[in-house]
Structures are given as structure tokens and as C-alpha cells.
Amino acid sequence: MRSISIGNRLIGEDSSCFIIAEAGSNHDRDLGQAKKLIDVAVEAGADAVKFQTFTADKIAANTSHPIMKLGNEYEGVPTLYELYKGLELPREWQRELKEYADKKGIIFLSTPFDYDAVEELEELGMEAYKIASFEMVDIPFLRYIAKKNKPIILSTGMANLGEIEDALNAIYEQGNNQVILLHCGISYPMPVGEVNLAAMDTMKSAFQLPVGYSDHTLGIAIPIAAVARGAKVIEKHFTLDRNLKGPDHKFAIEPDELKAMVKGIRDAEKAIGSSIKGLAHTERLHHQRGRRSIFAKMDIPKGTIITEDMLAVLRPGVGLMPKYFDIVVGREARKDIKKNEPITWEVI
């Protein structure tokens, strides 16, 4: 499986997880709030902070089609078009946010949703392009991004293997093979029982690419579980406060939770450790103190033929292992063996 470089981070089989703190549209069109989101991502220890670059006119038709009508959960916003209109990231902020992130030492990313967005982000020197699940089937758009020859993080929510293959072929045809696939569930929030983390294994086996997980469940348990399952990239929405207005705040995690998620991921990586099954360094004392070995249950004079009733299997493990019990029985004592003395090869 190939490794992919994003900035100074290598993402591959033996690398630590690349953690993307997804600010998305939770800036609420407030520049100060956008910068606070960057600060929170830095404080939590994320590798990257990501926004979204879209314009309502270029992402959705302003149509009266029934499927575009929204329910009461969107705080009175009647259509998807109008929802997007109220969430647009002002394009003039992008350079300032990128420079702010650079100053803070975190990788700045933003998902483009139109061709102009790609060019604007390219001018800012994007380290990589994240493509949203909904855009994965826009083959001309994928080709356009692939031509930039930057690493591509491709979300695959709702997609089957054939659709993923189509997307990858479009990217590969442009000479770009720097792709990371993200398993993803498209519901806000995503029910835990429908996450299907095992699909990461399928994608990794089918396409031989680094695989990660873009999470929309509530809480932090599932992204940590995904890392234990092998995810090399985690993307998670976060907010300054879940009580803020806006569609993405309610399922996002708050600053303390983001910090806890990053720590949980790093702890999970440490716990994965080595595939070698054996004695850990910190277990050595307990290995000897807690395991049993063969002891004399009574005084055994020199020359005595040892019988079963003269022996006991007790802690600590300073004598012969219990598996040698039947071999010890019938042996002659070479010396006087005191009660509670461990039996060793030297005394029989």
C-alpha cells in the first residue's frame, strides 16, 4: 500500500492517524469565530483544520422542487438553496484564515465545491484537496482537481465499489495516484448501527490505498474505534458550542470533546502496538510474583524419593513451572529441602 504526503505528514500503513478537525460551516460567517475554531483545533492537537468553500449558486439549483424543501429542523430556512446561501464562507477570508493557520502551525484545508473554489485554493497553496461524498460522482470535477497533482482525500459516503472505482479511474487518468479513501456515513447524525466500519477493510483490500473515516455520529467513540480498526485519517466536525444556531452545530463535538478524541486516538494507536504476543516489559514483576511454581509442602530430607503429597503449586513463580510437576514426582532429593522452599533442578 502506497504512502501519501500531506505537508510534513506521511500517511500510510505504518504512520500515525492524520486527524482533520472539520470546522466546515460552523464559522457562522463570523471571521473571529472562524479563527477561534482554528485555535481550538490547534489546542486539541489536530493535524489539520478544514473549512468548506462553496457558493449557493454553484452548489444547488434555486428550484421549487419538493426535494429541496427543508423541515422545521433547519430553524425556518425553507429550502436547501437558502440554507447554503446562509452558510457561505466569504472567499476574501480564505487567505487570512490560511495565514492564521500557518502561523499557528496547523495545516489549513478547505473542501472546494466548484471550479473557481479549486483555483482560489490552489492560489493559496493547498497541501491537499478533500472531496466531499456528494461530489464523488462528479467525474469532470474530479478530473479537474486531479490535474492539480495534489493529494486527494476522497469521501465515499453512499457509494458502492463500482462508483469508487469510477472516481479513482478519473483521478488516475490525470496521472495522479495520491489518493486516500474515507469511509463515511451520510446522515446528521449517523446512527451507530449503520456506520459499518468493516467497509474500510473492503476498500483497503479492493483498492490498496490508505483508508480512513469521516464521522458524523454523536460523540467520539466511533472515530477512536475506526483508528483501532485501521483508519489512517479521521475527519470530525467540531464547534465552539452545540447550542449555536446552524445545521452542523448540533451533531458536532465541542472543544473538550475534540481534545479527548485526539487523545483517545493517540492512546488507541499506542495500544495497538506490536503483533508479537509475549511478555510486556511492565509485566515482568507480575510474571514472577503472580505465576505459580512448584514448592515443597513439607520438609523433604536428602535422599527422599519425592511423592505428589510432598509438593504444592503456589505463587510466586520462582521454582520449576507446574508443567514439570509429573517429572519432579519420583525424583530423589539431592539435599535437605525445607518446607515452602521452591523446587529447582538443582535440588532434585
Side-chain angles (χ1 to χ4, degrees), residues 124-193:
L124 294 179
M126 282 299 98
E127 302 280 4
Y129 286 100
K130 164 67 199 307
I131 297 174
S133 294
F134 293 108
E135 272 53 56
M136 197 203 78
V137 294
D138 188 347
I139 297 301
F141 191 54
L142 297 185
R143 291 185 184 126
Y144 190 83
I145 293 174
K147 287 178 181 177
K148 302 303 180 184
N149 202 33
K150 298 285 181 65
I152 291 174
I153 303 171
L154 181 64
S155 274
T156 62
M158 307 173 293
N160 58 41
L161 290 181
E163 290 170 325
I164 298 171
E165 185 175 24
D166 289 344
L168 288 174
N169 286 339
I171 294 167
Y172 293 161
E173 285 167 4
Q174 308 310 312
N176 188 339
N177 64 359
Q178 305 172 80
V179 184
I180 299 163
L181 297 175
L182 298 190
H183 178 51
C184 181
I186 303 299
S187 188
Y188 309 97
M190 187 69 183
V192 169

Side-chain angles (χ1 to χ4, degrees), residues 19-93:
I19 302 172
I20 302 171
E22 170 65 80
S25 60
N26 285 343
H27 49 77
D28 295 334
R29 294 178 62 83
D30 180 324
L31 181 58
Q33 186 166 310
K35 288 183 176 180
K36 286 180 183 177
L37 286 164
I38 294 174
D39 292 338
V40 166
V42 171
E43 177 67 22
D47 296 293
V49 61
K50 191 179 78 65
F51 292 85
Q52 297 174 2
T53 304
F54 62 82
T55 301
D57 290 331
K58 295 180 179 179
I59 196 173
N62 189 7
T63 173
S64 59
H65 193 288
I67 198 151
M68 296 292 280
K69 293 181 180 179
L70 301 177
N72 295 328
E73 71 271 21
Y74 289 101
E75 299 163 355
V77 179
T79 69
L80 192 60
Y81 173 86
E82 290 174 271
L83 179 70
Y84 291 144
K85 195 71 177 173
L87 298 175
E88 292 175 351
L89 176 76
R91 303 287 177 105
E92 63 271 17
W93 290 3

